[in-house]
Amino acid sequence: MPSSARASHLTRRGLLATGGALGLGAALAACGGGDDKAAGKPAGEGGAEKAGPWTFTDDRGVTAEAKATPKNIVAFTGMAAALHDFGVEVKGVFGPTKTADGKPDVQAGDLDVNKVEIIGNVWGEFDIEKYVGLQPDVLITDMWEKDALWYVPDESKDKILKLAPSVALRAADQSMPKVIQRHVELAESLGGDVRSKKVADSKARFEAAAARLRAAAKAKPEIRVLIGSASPDLFYVSSPARPTDTLYFKELGVNLIVPGKLDAGGWFENLSWENVGTYKADIIMMDNRTSAIQPEDLASKPTWAQLPAVRAGQVIPRVTEPVYSYEKCAPLLEDLAEAIENAKKVA
């Protein structure tokens, strides 16, 4: 995904690799037995909780185990928001949750941010004392790079991972439907009612939105879409090859611009603002995260205002870190479909 801001975290801070245990001296909370290593063991019909040991094999191939279905769940904010949409609530979150004015961050989805314990709200922040106080049964987060736990600080990861089992699901290198399905499997294992009418309706909406986007892209194959993100000094053009959303957009036929000089991770090309017009786009999708400068705040960049897509008013938000539920991903497809349907060829 990350086009820019997220990817810059990776290059600036390094990977959040999982590791062994230094420990705080605290025992593993609710680590269970059981030899069943089956991935995402179902929680029963209708999401009813299953008595006895709980196991779930994540996208690292690591099997988390507990004596019973975890109750005290601590998760990355976006993961918590997805679980909420599938009927699973968490006790604590880490990652962008509240903005400076106390409002929910875009990554919080429908979470009630005043009813969860926030143990970290920005990159590198993870309050281990608060985490211990929650008596966590499991820690759940995203994985953008192999074996790297998103927003778990590298310098304290060993202490954190000693306290409870961990689960990491891919947030890159797989298409959106597959990533959502893994969240469904995880939520079901945790007792979520993934067969509810609400979930079924959201899935139907998602599938209809995909069909609409495919039709829009087929009707206007000449419309070129650029995935961008802004910082004070650089404009980042994301490659569509790794993020889950752009992988799916490509599968649906969207004509996405592929930058030519990518960073080592294959995420993006960084351009100076003088060179922001290197790639000719008809639609620009801009990173909506609070870590990125938003289009309305780019008036000081004259080269931005000169871009054909900007002059034509064909700039739309991009949800760079999606909440992986059908409910939250369907609008992403709908919005891009509408933008392509209404776009004029300007580049």
Side-chain angles (χ1 to χ4, degrees), residues 21-259:
L22 292 177
L24 290 177
L28 286 175
C31 268
D35 296 323
D36 188 352
K37 303 296 183 181
K41 185 181 289 185
E45 288 299 320
E49 290 183 19
K50 182 177 179 180
W54 170 86
T55 67
F56 185 87
T57 301
D58 72 4
D59 291 347
R60 298 170 296 176
V62 173
T63 299
E65 302 178 349
K67 294 179 180 178
T69 302
K71 293 291 188 183
N72 296 340
I73 301 169
V74 177
F76 171 68
T77 302
M79 175 67 73
L83 291 174
H84 170 83
D85 287 351
F86 291 122
V88 177
E89 302 301 335
V90 307
K91 292 290 184 69
V93 296
F94 56 96
T97 307
K98 287 185 177 181
T99 58
D101 58 3
K103 295 180 180 179
D105 188 273
V106 294
Q107 295 187 56
D110 291 333
L111 284 179
D112 187 336
V113 298
N114 295 313
K115 290 186 177 180
V116 291
E117 184 75 39
I118 300 173
I119 63 175
N121 196 56
V122 297
W123 183 265
E125 182 178 85
F126 193 110
D127 191 318
I128 297 180
E129 289 187 6
K130 284 186 178 181
Y131 181 57
V132 172
L134 290 171
Q135 298 182 308
D137 296 324
V138 65
L139 175 77
I140 308 175
T141 189
D142 292 341
M143 183 168 61
W144 290 91
E145 298 282 2
K146 180 178 171 57
D147 297 337
L149 300 189
W150 192 230
Y151 269 80
V152 177
D154 189 61
E155 60 273 17
S156 55
K157 71 177 188 300
D158 292 337
K159 295 179 181 180
I160 294 166
L161 295 178
K162 181 67 174 176
L163 295 170
S166 62
V167 170
L169 296 186
R170 280 198 171 276
D173 301 321
Q174 292 180 349
S175 183
M176 181 178 280
K178 185 172 183 178
V179 174
I180 296 175
Q181 178 58 32
R182 287 293 283 150
H183 285 70
V184 170
E185 293 166 6
L186 175 59
E188 185 175 25
S189 83
L190 294 169
D193 187 359
V194 300
R195 297 174 179 84
S196 69
K197 184 179 185 302
K198 177 184 176 183
V199 173
D201 289 348
S202 296
K203 185 176 182 181
R205 179 184 174 186
F206 177 84
E207 292 170 346
R212 179 182 175 185
L213 180 54
R214 187 188 299 276
K218 184 176 181 180
K220 291 188 173 181
E222 74 281 4
I223 297 298
R224 304 181 77 217
V225 180
L226 181 145
I227 310 296
S229 186
S231 73
D233 299 320
L234 295 171
F235 182 78
Y236 303 89
V237 180
S238 284
S239 167
R242 297 197 64 188
T244 65
D245 60 336
T246 54
L247 279 171
Y248 195 40
F249 298 161
K250 283 179 61 181
E251 289 176 10
L252 295 173
V254 177
N255 185 359
L256 295 170
I257 289 172
V258 179

Side-chain angles (χ1 to χ4, degrees), residues 235 271-279 303:
F235 182 78
L271 301 173
S272 67
W273 282 102
E274 290 76 11
N275 294 314
V276 71
T278 297
Y279 299 102
T303 52

Side-chain angles (χ1 to χ4, degrees), residues 245-314:
D245 60 336
T246 54
L247 279 171
Y248 195 40
F249 298 161
K250 283 179 61 181
E251 289 176 10
L252 295 173
V254 177
N255 185 359
L256 295 170
I257 289 172
V258 179
K261 298 179 181 179
L262 299 178
D263 68 302
W267 290 106
F268 62 90
E269 177 178 355
N270 54 335
L271 301 173
S272 67
W273 282 102
E274 290 76 11
N275 294 314
V276 71
T278 297
Y279 299 102
K280 308 305 179 185
D282 302 294
I283 294 173
I284 301 176
M285 298 183 72
M286 289 292 287
D287 187 347
N288 77 329
R289 290 171 301 173
T290 52
S291 57
I293 300 176
Q294 298 306 301
E296 60 269 23
D297 298 318
L298 290 173
S300 63
K301 307 293 186 184
T303 52
W304 167 258
Q306 295 169 9
L307 295 176
V310 176
R311 293 203 307 264
Q314 295 180 175

